[in-house]
């Protein structure tokens, strides 16, 4: 039993219209109009396919296909449809459409699973518009309260709760998933490993730990001309010194540590005014929590010392923190068995990127399937994956789901 790739490709091209950028990428930020369009389109496909559709209080969308044993815990499969700004068309989308293609294929063959199957589209996986990331899966797994999630504000001051209401996806708590057999997610690797080794599939064993910090530095805004250098309290210079030390820290900590300063803004951000206030983020990741611990205390020391030298004040907020996640051995083995049965080339690996599977792993057994990223690129408009490998990935998802849900 193989999936129908051309059907999936057609749907992929339809969804790629919602939030399309001129250079062939996607800016489909969570709870935006483009997100609503993609959600509405996907819901209409689910209804056409005869699935029972429901939406929970985080705006997560579910499509349920009954099994012969309707009280058995469901096998949940899915991912997300929101993207980063000027992101790619594959991140999240192939997990959502791949899961849907599994259900469509079972419908084509008239196969009834024992356990029910449920598809899911998680809200705000990216954390690009509303920090932190994974608010939809984090709510249903108890990592965030509903008040916390609804109160998150974007850069224009709009709250998550208002925007969820506005796009018509503020559903009910009782629509959250019931007991689950397992959660499976197909995703592009978003890194260079599979392509470099010429492999088609990644059998994902877990996800590295990650922390997001927001650093705010206050100096004195002043005139760029008459203010003598020794009188300055320049928040931007302090930030610049810290940022270059944060890069060095990734080499000092080593063992796969990655650090990124992806967001930076300063006030008043005018060519002839000394910046009075500078804000930036630090994203730090490592497969081992103890290395992240070391990294956080090292960062705090660096910031304290440099701000003292520059005579500026500062504040550090921890925006988000998820420890390293190991997936369920039985589900990982099920995925590996499925790959081997189909004779695809593969390797076991850890995910460098975060996924809803991180939180789902806290409430149910989880497995993930990676397909290669072309050039290892992701979170950019040129993000892409080879369609023959995507087909393999969805076929593995199909076989794994059947093993976990059972067939009568
Ligand atoms: O940040 C991440 O790793 C994910 O893509 N949200
Ligand atoms: Mn993703
Ligand atoms: Mn992403």
């Amino acid at each position: 039993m193989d999936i129908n790739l051309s059907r999936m490709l057609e749907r992929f091209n339809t969804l790629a219209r919602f939030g399309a950028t001129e250079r062939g990428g996607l800016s489909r930020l969570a709870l935006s109009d483009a997100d609503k369009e993609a959600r509405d389109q996907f819901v209409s496909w689910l209804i056409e396919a005869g699935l029972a559709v429901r939406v929970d209080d985080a705006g997560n969308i579910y499509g349920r296909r009954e099994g012969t044993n309707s009280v058995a815990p469901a096998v949940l499969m899915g991912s997300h449809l929101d993207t980063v700004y000027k992101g790619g068309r594959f991140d999240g989308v192939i997990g959502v459409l791949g899961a849907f293609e599994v259900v469509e294929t079972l419908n084509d063959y008239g196969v009834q699973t024992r356990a029910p199957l449920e598809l899911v589209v998680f809200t705000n996986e990216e954390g690009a518009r509303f920090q932190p990331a994974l608010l939809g899966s984090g709510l249903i797994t108890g990592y965030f309260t509903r008040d916390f999630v609804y109160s998150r504000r974007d850069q224009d001051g709009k709250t998550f709760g208002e925007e969820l209401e506005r796009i018509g996806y503020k559903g009910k708590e009782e629509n959250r998933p019931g007991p689950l057999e397992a959660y499976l997610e197909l995703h592009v690797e978003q890194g260079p490993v599979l392509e470099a080794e010429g492999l088609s599939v990644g059998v994902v064993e877990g996800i590295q730990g990650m922390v997001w910090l927001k650093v705010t530095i206050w100096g004195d805004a002043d005139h760029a001309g008459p203010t003598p250098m020794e009188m300055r309290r320049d928040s931007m210079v302090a930030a610049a010194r810290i940022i270059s030390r944060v890069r060095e820290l990734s080499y000092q900590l080593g063992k796969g540590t990655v650090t990124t300063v992806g967001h930076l803004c300063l006030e008043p951000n005018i060519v002839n005014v000394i910046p009075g206030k500078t804000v930036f983020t630090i994203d730090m990741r490592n497969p081992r929590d103890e290395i992240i611990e070391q990294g956080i205390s090292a960062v705090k020391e660096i910031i304290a010392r440099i701000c003292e030298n520059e005579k500026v004040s500062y504040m550090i907020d921890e925006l988000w923190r998820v420890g390293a996640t190991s997936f369920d051995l039985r589900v990982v083995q099920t995925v590996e068995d499925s790959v081997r049965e189909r004779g695809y080339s593969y390797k076991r690996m850890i995910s460098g990127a975060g996924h809803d599977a991180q939180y789902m792993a806290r409430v149910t057994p989880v497995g993930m399937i990676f397909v290669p990223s072309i050039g290892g690129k992701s979170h950019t408009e040129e993000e892409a994956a080879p369609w023959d490998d995507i087909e393999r990935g969805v076929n593995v998802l199909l076989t794994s789901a059947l093993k976990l849900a059972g067939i009568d």
Side-chain angles (χ1 to χ4, degrees):
M1 194 172 6
D2 288 337
I3 62 118
N4 178 335
L5 187 68
S6 52
R7 174 170 58 194
M8 182 176 169
L9 187 51
E10 203 184 310
R11 291 191 166 129
F12 175 88
N13 290 330
T14 302
L15 290 185
R17 293 203 316 258
F18 307 127
T21 62
E22 306 85 67
R23 294 182 57 238
L26 278 175
S27 288
R28 188 162 64 215
L29 296 181
L31 309 185
S32 61
D33 291 343
D35 190 19
K36 173 178 174 51
E37 287 175 304
R39 286 163 166 267
D40 291 348
Q41 175 61 72
F42 188 64
V43 165
S44 68
W45 285 331
L46 291 178
I47 293 168
E48 265 167 52
L51 296 174
V53 178
R54 63 186 203 274
V55 178
D56 73 13
D57 48 339
N60 299 317
I61 300 166
Y62 304 92
R64 181 179 171 91
R65 183 179 194 263
E66 281 308 335
T68 51
N69 176 353
S70 61
V71 294
V75 171
L76 185 70
M77 298 178 281
S79 191
H80 61 95
L81 292 177
D82 66 302
T83 73
V84 294
Y85 179 67
K86 291 195 177 175
R89 294 172 296 152
F90 293 72
D91 178 356
V93 173
I94 65 160
V96 170
L97 291 181
F100 186 36
E101 184 50 38
V102 164
V103 164
E104 292 269 73
T105 304
L106 294 177
N107 286 342
D108 291 347
Y109 287 83
V111 169
Q112 197 66 27
T113 54
R114 184 174 324 118
L117 299 179
E118 291 204 349
L119 307 185
V120 63
V121 176
F122 284 115
T123 303
N124 195 73
E125 187 278 342
E126 290 294 357
R129 180 181 179 194
F130 299 100
Q131 289 82 34
L134 310 186
L135 286 176
S137 51
L139 177 65
I140 64 169
T141 53
Y143 274 81
F144 306 124
T145 64
R146 185 162 50 213
D147 287 350
F148 173 83
V149 171
Y150 282 12
S151 63
R152 297 303 88 205
R153 285 187 189 279
D154 68 5
Q155 292 186 55
D156 303 326
K158 290 191 184 133
T159 67
F160 182 106
E162 287 157 9
E163 287 294 277
L164 193 63
E165 182 99 56
R166 183 183 68 82
I167 67 165
Y169 279 88
K170 193 173 190 178
K172 299 194 188 77
E173 179 171 353
E174 71 229 31
N175 288 337
R176 297 183 186 181
L180 294 174
E181 174 67 31
Y183 171 67
L184 290 170
E185 183 170 356
L186 169 69
H187 207 285
V188 281
E189 177 203 332
Q190 301 182 293
V193 173
L194 292 175
E195 182 184 63
E197 298 184 29
L199 301 171
S200 290
V201 176
V203 176
V204 188
E205 296 181 294
I207 300 178
Q208 64 178 338
M210 46 198 75
V211 62
W212 286 2
L213 301 176
K214 182 173 104 175
V215 183
T216 306
I217 298 179
W218 292 276
D220 280 339
D222 212 332
H223 198 301
T227 311
M229 294 311 285
E230 64 280 6
M231 280 181 63
R232 295 180 182 215
R233 290 177 356 99
D234 188 329
S235 65
M236 179 60 188
V237 167
R241 291 193 197 292
I242 291 165
I243 290 167
S244 60
R245 292 285 292 107
V246 165
R247 155 61 71 90
E248 287 159 25
L249 185 61
S250 59
Y251 298 112
Q252 284 158 4
L253 290 169
K255 302 188 188 76
T257 306
V258 288
T259 57
T260 310
V261 174
H263 171 80
L264 170 75
C265 65
L266 54 158
E267 290 176 11
N269 201 19
I270 303 291
V271 63
N272 55 358
V273 181
I274 300 166
K277 178 181 173 189
T278 301
V279 181
F280 62 94
T281 56
I282 298 172
D283 176 320
M284 178 160 49
R285 308 188 189 199
N286 186 284
R288 291 168 48 197
D289 289 338
E290 63 274 20
I291 305 277
I292 293 197
E293 270 314 313
Q294 283 171 30
I296 293 173
S297 32
V299 161
K300 287 180 175 171
E301 256 173 57
I302 290 166
I303 293 171
R305 195 160 19 82
I306 289 173
C307 288
E308 195 187 344
N309 291 346
E310 295 297 330
K311 302 188 288 305
V312 294
S313 55
Y314 69 91
M315 184 172 72
I316 303 171
D317 293 302
E318 185 173 288
L319 290 181
W320 186 44
R321 175 88 193 270
V322 187
T325 307
S326 302
F327 291 161
D328 178 87
L329 299 180
R330 178 179 63 89
V331 178
V332 173
Q333 192 56 57
T334 302
V335 171
E336 183 173 37
D337 294 346
S338 306
V339 175
R340 297 171 74 94
E341 270 169 39
R342 286 180 175 269
Y344 300 153
S345 61
Y346 77 99
K347 76 178 291 183
R348 285 178 170 239
M349 61 195 294
I350 294 289
S351 174
H355 301 284
D356 292 302
Q358 254 162 310
Y359 282 143
M360 293 310 289
R362 267 104 178 143
V363 298
T364 186
V366 159
M368 283 190 79
I369 302 155
F370 274 174
V371 292
S373 288
I374 295 174
K377 299 285 286 179
S378 182
H379 281 190
T380 62
E381 291 168 298
E382 63 266 31
E383 172 188 276
W387 278 100
D388 57 347
D389 285 331
I390 292 174
E391 182 175 24
R392 294 185 182 98
V394 182
N395 278 330
V396 170
L397 184 64
L398 170 63
T399 305
S400 305
L402 286 176
K403 287 177 184 292
L404 291 165
I407 307 175
D408 272 341

